[in-house]
């Protein structure tokens, strides 16, 4: 009985969060270690369906890393990098799209449906959801796209009908091309276009670190300071840039959390202190 | 962190219940000890609002016991009983209605609103919600009513608009009278009229007992057995009769639980074993 | 037959009023002598239901005077007055709320339903309909509230579903208190919040008098003149202040009429000359 | 003041009728003497708009008698009769349709709009509202139609949008012809197709007479008796046949009243005794 | 088979037009030679129904010329002209309204219904669709109206319910009069009031001519030039004035085409070059 | 001009078909030669979008043949056949799903969007659209599924919102497996579940042949005769079995047509004689 009472207590602690996020859109970038083990994937899917049933409107944007490399290897396509970015030629692009939209996306859809959600898998081509043009900042790196427009109508229509959209980061080009786009960026742009409450980026680190310690909460000016003074480096830089863009365009909070921790989504959303870094508007 | 993970685990254990009761009507008879202490009342209200936010459609039917006696005493009206039932003359009826519909009902409404719900208080007179005629089984005991019809339209309309109805067990008579009706019975009749998933009766005991032990689950035939062989006695008899009527008319489950236990509503609904007695259709 | 033709004629005279108030909200403060005799009450209820069936959307806000005093006397609570205002301590407040929301309100609801309307009784606590704070203009007079906000959503929802709302002038405090509020003021504030066509105040006098004669129509500037030059005195002053506030915030007309006259509501609304005083915007 | 109170009383006497016909469809055949004088026409139009504003859904089906004859005379077309029925050749048909649909119909529409209703004029050709075939019972009498089908969709759509449909008794033939149809019959068929509460036939006599006295109420079996025993003769026979057909197919009441009496519609609908003959289902 | 492929090709050529006019309102003035032969009328009706089925929302405003004269002659009413305009006295007005609203309008309605459309015939009196006042520019020419207001509500309601409105150019006067209004002007005003995509005027010439050659496309400034420099004369002047007014008030394109050419409507709408003159906003 | 008139004529010939299929669901199995050349694919996509704009609700179910083989070859997976059916082991299944749902499906979606449609790509996993179990009729051939249920809700929701669904024939297994299902069968089952007007199967032959000649129309009994007497052989047998099943379950017509003929869809739907074989209910 004591156990039961403790359990009730924990449900009640989640309650203020359930209340304040009721009916709100939450966009989650799912990738990295959270995708690698079956156990982590199961935990993630459970969390997404629970968010849905406790009243939120989750949208999942997924990456694909290891499975793309794996398939490229099987097809004996040699990966080429330039400034740390994958050069995406036509053969590579074909693999990227097939794996993202045909394999990973549908696996997530099936997993969500098995846990009791009603998922619909989309790529950026469906109803021209994600429109992009060629990314040329880093020279010619092939079919890598820079997002120019999100058409949110299909997402609104599916959310209102009670579905959980699962989005593969493949974009449609203004001239009919297919583009591979960054999943963090796609998630941020979708969060902005849907006026989301939260953008949640699952990574392989615990959050933003300073002097070896995790920072729990960051304001916009603190984020800009960290970007300017060189405290953050590597892959965290574009993530924070996504966060800044999202917050500046109306998203209320951005969370950077460690996807390798089981149920990290619940832990971050349903508690005061959280487990990663939250970036807020002020 | 370990603590956080345990908390996530407990949320996940509640998940199957959240899923399966999503969008379902749950009628709760609130009375007895759960009403007596401020702490118990707070816990009960929190639970009701949490049920609402996790997707259910709760309706509360409340009793009034001690406050009615208290006010009668202040007014120096002598209580009269016949076969253990309160004889309700006109002066008594006036106090009963005022206390139920004007004091207790509005207190519960205000408490639910303070916790973030949107409550609307009703008596059986509103839109003729509860129609009754004079109860004559026990001879003339005055303005005590036997429910003859529930008009569920107003409840459906409020539930669909997102409100939590709080119902005082006062009925309108076919000839324009006011009747005091039993709150357990009113809750059961409302549960039937709304095709509720669950009817939950808060009492002052832990549930149905046999040989000093709590029975966790009872089928309809077992309930009838207990009623026939004299195992259950006293106030539990009418509660089980309510349960039988509710189940026979389409309610999926009836729970008899101890209202003095804080958060007993959550404990009973969101766990496998529960803490009281559940009566099911088979 | 001649009789029949005359009757048709009278229906036709009501017709322009029926046409021009079609679908409009009419807020009626019901109190005083109109409440005292059973006959006056019956006539009033018939009028309200007739307004509803001829296409208007009536809302009734009621007072409670004599019944509150009666109950206080029975409970041997001594009334205390300060500057002519009732000092409302906790014990008094309890009686006020019980009588207003639990007795008078439900009696009106039942009477309307019996005449064929569909009434729903509300207090200002339901869905936080009337929010108030402590009135301190006259020093400490206890739980007397000054209205700070009307939440009209519940009223709109009930009106659109075809119900007649009956409102008790009890407010919810910003800090969780209960407040007794003036019924005329509550009616005026509700009329403003719902952008009502008319606010009708039933009183115990024929209307605004000057030199012993009833004034039929008053413009805003005339009302202000009467208030300034001391022509009106006593209880008529706050009524005219309500009227000014209502008109200045968009209500099209305010009527002050004598509730002791049977069917005064019909007489005032459905005829050119009317029987009381009408205050208009110009 | 005494006058005012009497007026309120009369409004109240109409109230039970207003209540019980609320939202109900009432089909009125308008013709004969009620159309002849400007005064009678004004009174009729006022009554129709008043029915609408007090909550009914009136539909007017009009005849055309004298104006058709008048126009035929101007065009020097000689009327031909066979068994008392007008033989309708092509030239006659052209006049009939023009006068009914182009003149009388539009005059009624404009008159209703001027009194504050929202009228839309229709002929049986609009959306194929009235489909007919050649009437051959009396031999070849030209373009006189027997109604085979009412398509009620357009009427429902206009009624639900708040319009008052005014229907000219011109039908569309299954082979593309135009047919003149009897207005009483058209009104009865429309009443059946819309499941109307009432069918009201305006005539030039006071109702059904027996032994020189008006019969106020007739049951179906009494009507059949009168038809069989020869009590009723002439033009009343087809009117009673219409009534029988309407009642047998679900219309609740059929009224035969004298259109030359001003405001006869109000007198009949809003009083107990009425002024003509009412035929009911039992 | 070759034939079949060519046919598919032609359907495909119409496709861009079908796409870009999908859901758009198209107002067509129907009159002159397009009305005279049965063959031309059949072709016109087919075109209107085809526009509807390929996704447009057509509204037809018709004239009446020859039939009015024909009927006046039969009634031996002498036509009187002043400055080339028909002086419309009461007798003439009666004929005009009867023929337009009672004969031509209903013939078009029936023809559209026979081809599979769902037509509803209206005059400007229905729901006060066209309000006018006396036209006095040319001195007293009787009941000739200048349009002062279009009430589009009824047209929107019918279009949204899938109907094709057929409008006779008869207007209701502000003082209750009936007015004959110019059909081109009525069509243009309706096009403006409904924010139509296109206004199409069927005439008896091929379009706007210059130096003996048809001009395919005209901008607003070119139209004004032609009006100023005297290139256009006679009946084309008011048509171009209608066009200017329509374009200046938001209609996207006005087409002036030769109604004597069978299926000229399809030819003009579903091809690049068109067959008449199109006036555009730039 | 003559050319223009001929073009109008051809539009008009398509008109009866446009009319009778308005608002109807048409399910099209797209595969084989119609997919192979870019020109054939363009023509097919144009046809689908044209069907949509002329009022139908097309759903495309696609196959994948050559691209699957091509990708398997690149991955050096050896195709294995048993009784002419591809044995689908896990490695093969992965390729099948990726190519169907990730490559071909998204290519069709993008092509439809470029032509002005609003396409959404789905696999049978989305919202559990196609549920299947292991096909065991031909022994163990791996992950080949037999459809057990279509969940049409997502398709209805997308059709009603104006989208064109593009469906990859991948099914979700009752135990969480992925299954490859036959595209003809999937199209037929979807046509039945949506109560489609038509099922259209694109093949590589002109239709059903007898004695070297194409049969234009077949009744159900004729189809059964052809199946029994051995007239049809090879791949046409399962196609006719699909047709029989579809017709027996409410689909109105099934068309078997040659996808290598450009615009065969338009030719078949918009003309009397058609170009392939149509199977009808009688």
């Amino acid at each position: 009985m004591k156990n039961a009472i403790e359990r009730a207590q924990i449900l009640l602690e989640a309650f203020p969060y359930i209340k304040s996020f009721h009916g709100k859109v939450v966009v989650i970038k799912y990738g990295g270690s959270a995708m690698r083990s079956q156990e982590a994937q199961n935990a993630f899917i459970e969390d997404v369906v629970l968010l849905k049933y406790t009243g939120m409107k989750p949208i999942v944007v997924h990456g694909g890393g290891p499975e793309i490399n794996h398939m490229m290897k099987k097809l004996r396509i040699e990966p080429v990098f330039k400034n740390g970015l994958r050069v995406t030629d036509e053969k590579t692009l074909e693999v990227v799209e097939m794996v993202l939209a045909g394999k990973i996306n549908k696996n997530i859809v099936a997993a969500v449906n098995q846990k009791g959600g009603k998922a619909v898998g989309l790529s950026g081509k469906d109803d021209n959801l994600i429109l992009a043009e060629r990314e040329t900042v880093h020279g010619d790196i092939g079919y890598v796209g820079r997002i120019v427009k999100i058409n949110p109508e299909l997402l609104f229509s599916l959310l209102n009908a009670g579905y959980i959209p699962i989005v593969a980061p493949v974009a449609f080009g203004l001239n009919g091309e297919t583009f591979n786009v960054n999943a963090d960026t796609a998630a941020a742009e979708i969060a902005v276009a849907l006026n989301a409450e939260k953008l949640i980026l699952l990574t392989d680190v615990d959050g933003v670190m300073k002097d070896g310690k995790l920072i729990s909460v960051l304001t916009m000016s603190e984020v800009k300071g960290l970007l300017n003074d060189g405290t953050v480096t590597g892959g965290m830089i574009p993530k924070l840039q996504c966060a800044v863009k999202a917050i500046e365009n109306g998203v209320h909070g951005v969370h950077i959390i460690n996807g390798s921790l089981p149920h990290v989504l619940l832990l971050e959303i349903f508690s005061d202190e959280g487990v990663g870094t939250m970036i807020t508007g002020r």
Side-chain angles (χ1 to χ4, degrees), chain A:
Chain A
M1 183 58 74
K2 178 154 167 297
N3 180 25
I5 292 167
E6 265 171 39
R7 270 168 35 205
Q9 210 48 48
I10 283 159
L11 279 171
L12 288 161
E13 279 171 28
F15 182 35
Y17 305 98
I18 291 175
K19 254 200 303 192
S20 74
F21 304 143
H22 205 259
K24 300 290 170 57
V25 173
V26 176
V27 180
I28 306 149
K29 152 63 196 304
Y30 172 49
S33 51
M35 253 172 154
R36 263 174 237 131
S37 79
Q38 194 56 44
E39 192 204 347
Q41 174 161 341
N42 285 349
F44 174 77
I45 298 295
E46 281 178 345
D47 288 6
V48 168
V49 180
L50 183 60
L51 293 189
K52 169 75 193 160
Y53 272 96
T54 50
M56 285 168 238
K57 295 178 172 173
I59 297 173
V60 175
V61 180
H62 60 82
E67 296 215 43
I68 293 173
N69 291 339
H70 187 64
M71 185 59 66
M72 284 181 74
K73 205 167 161 188
K74 284 209 247 179
L75 287 161
R76 286 157 302 168
I77 304 173
E78 199 63 45
V80 180
F81 289 88
K82 189 168 164 185
N83 303 334
L85 291 162
R86 185 197 299 275
V87 178
T88 307
D89 60 7
E90 265 194 55
K91 278 192 302 184
T92 305
L93 180 67
E94 184 186 35
V95 177
V96 165
E97 186 177 18
M98 277 197 321
V99 172
L100 284 174
K103 187 165 156 53
I104 297 174
N105 186 271
K106 297 309 175 191
N107 281 353
I108 299 172
V109 163
V112 169
N113 289 344
Q114 276 197 300
K115 295 284 180 193
K118 293 161 65 69
V120 175
L122 302 173
S123 96
K125 289 182 173 174
D126 290 303
D127 194 30
N128 292 334
L129 172 57
I130 308 174
L131 290 180
E133 60 185 15
R134 194 176 285 265
E135 175 62 86
T136 55
V137 170
H138 309 280
D140 181 3
I141 50 170
Y143 293 95
V144 173
R146 201 174 56 74
I147 295 175
V148 293
K149 185 152 190 280
I150 299 291
N151 288 311
E153 183 192 329
L154 177 58
L155 290 174
F156 279 124
S157 161
L158 291 171
L159 288 176
N160 288 339
Y163 293 107
I164 301 173
I166 312 295
V167 183
V170 172
F172 193 54
L174 299 177
N175 304 311
E177 317 93 320
T178 301
F179 286 117
N180 179 14
V181 292
N182 180 273
D184 288 336
T185 313
E189 295 280 359
I190 286 173
V192 166
L194 275 92
N195 200 19
E197 177 71 20
K198 286 185 179 303
L199 167 66
I200 299 176
L201 304 175
L202 268 69
T203 68
D204 290 351
V205 296
D206 286 343
V208 181
M209 312 297 289
K210 187 172 183 179
D211 304 336
K213 290 183 63 180
L214 175 72
I215 311 176
S216 253
V217 179
L218 280 172
T219 64
M220 280 293 276
S221 58
E222 289 168 344
V223 170
K224 286 173 182 173
L226 293 175
L227 284 169
N228 288 335
D229 69 12
T231 306
V232 296
T233 55
M236 188 54 77
I237 293 175
K239 281 181 199 295
L240 285 181
Q241 286 167 339
C242 276
V244 167
K245 178 147 191 211
I247 298 277
E248 284 181 348
N249 288 281
V251 176
H252 290 187
V254 178
H255 299 249
I256 299 177
I257 54 179
N258 190 341
S260 63
L261 186 63
H263 299 299
V264 65
L265 212 51
L266 292 194
L267 298 177
E268 179 70 15
I269 290 185
F270 287 141
S271 63
D272 283 341
E273 64 287 3
V275 294
T277 298
M278 179 169 81
I279 297 132
T280 69
R282 267 140 305 111

